[in-house]
């Protein structure tokens, strides 16, 4: 007798994706900053509720969310209660402790996945993952000691940029090392155990592409935009970037490949350098709405905030097509005190984040100028 063991019965066909979350469902957002605020507003526009989880009691997203949990990301009870009240979770910044997000993902879908978060939290893992997909990045070396720093600067040459592997943003946790520096003494200045040395790129332009991927694997890209930074903080975005069509197509293709390679469900910004030889090097990934995509709120068929809501709720993606060209400026620190002057500017759309305290370097709002007649 030849009796085969019975096949385990499948409870459901796992080739089918789960049905989309219907309006009335609740999106949990980790983080309460302006990106969470604008995501919550887009979610409300589409009939979804938002539950914001963040430690700060006066965070910008709070006043536009239906529910709020003010607790540490490491508060397990608060996280479990949060999970039981939401249908999907997303995040509005990368610097959330990974462990609690991995635990949360056992209880409720987290989109983009904790794997994507893990890669984007660590500059070395991120560059290794990108290179493994055949995507070019700045040349780099992992650095964990003064000795390794010396070896890395010998390999990459000077100038180079030493960055903390984790938790850096807006140029924080970065030291430029040029030939005038005594290299070993730079290491203790960074005050961290894990770092990365990157070759300094003499780029022609900084650009970014915002890419979204839905639950079925469909991908949509916004056009590449040019980003101008002041003191390492984004000051201005020009949309579309003034680059030849072929280069724009190359940038979009890179973003698309990354979204597929990471199995992204959600939205991600890919920051890139355009070199003087028109090569594109990826600098950084941000698996969430991004400051360089704020212009899409006023100039595109689907804003980046609506797009992330669509993607994480399992809806089809909207068109990223832009109806106007646009220029976005950030209102940083004291800039916001002059907000009124933009009220009379033609084609200006003002967005303020409701932050009470003005601090130097703090993003307080932004203004998008829509171009007349698409000139
Ligand atoms: P990041 O935090 O890596 O996005 O860096 C902030 C800004 O610093 C970038 O937008 C660039 O303007 C500049 N920067 C960072 N890394 C490099 C690099 N390897 N070469 C040249 N400029 C860089």
């Amino acid at each position: 007798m030849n009796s085969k063991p019975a096949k385990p019965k499948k409870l459901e066909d796992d080739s089918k994706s789960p049905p989309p979350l219907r309006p009335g469902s609740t999106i949990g957002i980790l983080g309460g900053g302006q990106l969470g605020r604008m995501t919550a507003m887009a979610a409300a526009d589409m009939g979804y509720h938002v539950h914001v989880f963040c430690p700060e009691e006066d965070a910008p997203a709070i006043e536009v969310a239906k529910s709020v949990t003010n607790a540490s990301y490491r508060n397990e009870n608060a996280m479990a209660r949060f999970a039981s009240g939401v249908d999907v979770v997303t995040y509005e910044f990368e610097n959330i402790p990974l462990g609690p997000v991995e635990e949360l993902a056992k209880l409720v879908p987290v989109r983009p996945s904790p794997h994507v978060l893990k890669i984007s939290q660590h500059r070395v893992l991120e560059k290794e993952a990108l290179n493994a997909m055949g995507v070019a990045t700045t040349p780099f070396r992992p650095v964990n000691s003064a000795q390794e720093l010396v070896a890395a600067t010998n390999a990459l040459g000077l100038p180079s940029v030493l960055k903390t592997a984790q938790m850096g943003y807006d140029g924080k946790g970065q030291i430029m090392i040029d030939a005038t520096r005594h290299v070993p003494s730079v290491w203790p200045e960074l005050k961290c155990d894990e770092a990365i040395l990157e070759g300094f790129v003499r780029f022609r332009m900084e650009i970014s592409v915002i890419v979204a991927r839905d639950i079925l694997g469909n991908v949509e890209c916004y056009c590449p935009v040019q980003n101008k930074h002041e003191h390492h903080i984004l000051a201005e975005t020009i949309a579309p970037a003034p680059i030849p069509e072929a280069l724009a197509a190359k940038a979009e293709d890179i973003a698309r490949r990354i979204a597929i390679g990471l199995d992204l469900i959600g939205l991600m910004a890919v920051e890139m350098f355009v070199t003087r030889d028109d090569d594109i090097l990826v600098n950084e990934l941000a698996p969430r709405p991004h400051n360089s995509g704020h212009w899409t709120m006023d100039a595109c068929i689907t804003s980046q905030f609506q797009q992330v809501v669509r993607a994480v709720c399992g809806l089809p993606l909207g068109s990223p097509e832009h109806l106007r060209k646009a220029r976005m400026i950030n209102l940083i620190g004291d800039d916001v005190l002059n907000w009124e002057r933009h009220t009379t500017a033609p084609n200006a759309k003002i967005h303020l984040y409701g932050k009470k305290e003005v601090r130097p370097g703090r993003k307080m709002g932004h203004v998008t100028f829509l171009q007349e007649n698409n000139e």
Side-chain angles (χ1 to χ4, degrees):
M1 277 220 317
N2 189 4
S3 67
K4 281 188 189 164
K7 271 192 182 171
K9 206 174 161 194
K10 272 191 173 178
L11 289 178
E12 55 184 20
D13 179 357
D14 50 27
S15 67
K16 278 194 200 141
S17 55
L21 292 177
R22 306 199 70 76
S25 307
T26 300
I27 304 170
I29 301 181
L30 299 173
Q34 62 269 16
L35 300 173
R37 175 185 174 98
M38 291 182 273
T39 304
M41 287 156 75
D45 268 349
M46 295 172 69
Y48 292 95
H49 304 302
V50 160
H51 185 153
V52 166
F53 188 117
C54 67
E56 305 83 12
E57 285 175 12
D58 60 350
I62 288 178
E63 67 178 329
V64 298
K66 184 172 186 214
S67 336
V68 177
T69 299
N70 279 138
S72 153
Y73 297 115
R74 297 193 186 280
N75 182 329
E76 290 171 17
N77 291 336
M79 273 285 189
R81 274 199 304 278
F82 171 68
S84 67
V86 301
D87 299 290
V88 66
V89 170
T90 191
Y91 38 89
E92 60 106 50
F93 77 131
E94 298 85 86
N95 292 334
I96 318 163
L98 182 66
V101 181
E102 286 173 334
E103 288 306 309
L104 200 53
K106 294 176 186 163
L107 306 171
V108 61
V110 174
R111 297 176 183 151
S113 70
H115 172 70
V116 174
L117 180 65
K118 180 179 174 179
I119 298 282
S120 66
Q121 280 185 340
H122 198 286
R123 290 184 193 273
V124 176
L125 292 183
E126 185 173 271
K127 286 194 170 52
E128 285 172 350
L130 290 166
N131 291 172
M133 287 175 214
V135 171
T137 60
T138 49
F140 71 97
R141 292 284 184 283
V143 170
N144 300 321
S145 68
Q147 261 177 331
E148 285 180 10
L149 179 58
V150 173
T153 50
N154 287 338
L156 299 181
L158 294 177
S160 10
V161 191
L162 182 66
K163 301 180 180 178
T164 55
Q166 300 197 66
M167 302 297 275
Y169 67 98
D170 286 348
K172 292 187 174 71
Q174 293 191 19
I175 302 175
M176 169 85 165
I177 310 179
D178 63 18
T180 63
R181 297 299 310 264
H182 175 245
V183 173
S185 57
V186 177
W187 176 248
E189 281 177 34
L190 197 66
K191 296 188 179 66
C192 82
D193 299 328
E194 272 190 290
I196 186 171
L197 187 77
E198 292 180 16
F200 183 75
V201 181
R202 286 183 179 80
F203 51 77
R204 187 160 68 79
M205 191 186 287
E206 287 189 81
I207 62 170
S208 58
V209 175
I210 292 178
V211 57
R213 186 165 173 270
D214 71 15
I215 208 159
L216 298 175
N218 300 303
V219 179
E220 293 286 358
C221 286
Y222 290 87
C223 62
V225 297
Q226 179 184 8
N227 298 317
K228 298 182 184 177
H229 293 83
E230 281 169 23
H231 314 291
H232 294 280
I233 302 174
L234 183 68
E236 184 179 353
T237 291
I238 314 276
I243 53 174
E245 240 173 66
L247 199 59
K250 192 167 153 186
E252 286 187 25
D253 180 59
I254 290 172
R256 188 176 292 272
R257 272 164 47 208
I258 296 171
I260 296 168
L262 291 177
D263 200 12
L264 176 77
I265 300 175
L267 178 130
M268 165 177 273
V270 182
E271 295 180 35
M272 309 172 186
F273 297 134
V274 178
T275 69
R276 290 175 186 181
D277 307 321
D278 276 354
D279 279 334
I280 294 179
L281 302 176
V282 171
N283 174 39
E284 213 174 19
L285 305 177
R288 48 158 174 87
H290 191 256
N291 197 167
S292 68
H294 289 0
W295 68 282
T296 64
M297 294 169 87
D298 301 316
C300 292
I301 293 178
T302 311
S303 76
Q304 64 164 348
F305 299 104
Q306 288 169 346
Q307 197 74 302
V308 74
V309 168
R310 282 169 173 259
V312 304
C313 289
L315 301 177
L317 298 176
S319 164
E321 188 188 330
H322 63 276
L323 303 171
R324 291 279 189 108
K325 293 183 180 178
R327 175 175 159 259
M328 188 262 351
I329 56 161
N330 267 337
L331 301 177
I332 296 170
D334 279 353
D335 292 346
V336 74
L337 305 177
N338 295 322
W339 66 275
E340 244 178 308
R341 61 186 271 237
H342 299 295
T343 56
T344 51
N347 301 333
K349 303 262 263 187
I350 304 173
H351 302 263
L352 300 176
Y353 308 147
K355 295 182 184 178
K356 289 188 196 82
E357 199 189 332
V358 180
R359 289 198 296 264
R362 192 172 198 206
K363 290 175 180 167
M364 305 298 294
H366 71 269
V367 184
T368 304
F369 300 93
L370 295 166
Q371 301 227 338
E372 199 99 59
N373 300 326
N374 235 356
E375 284 305 304

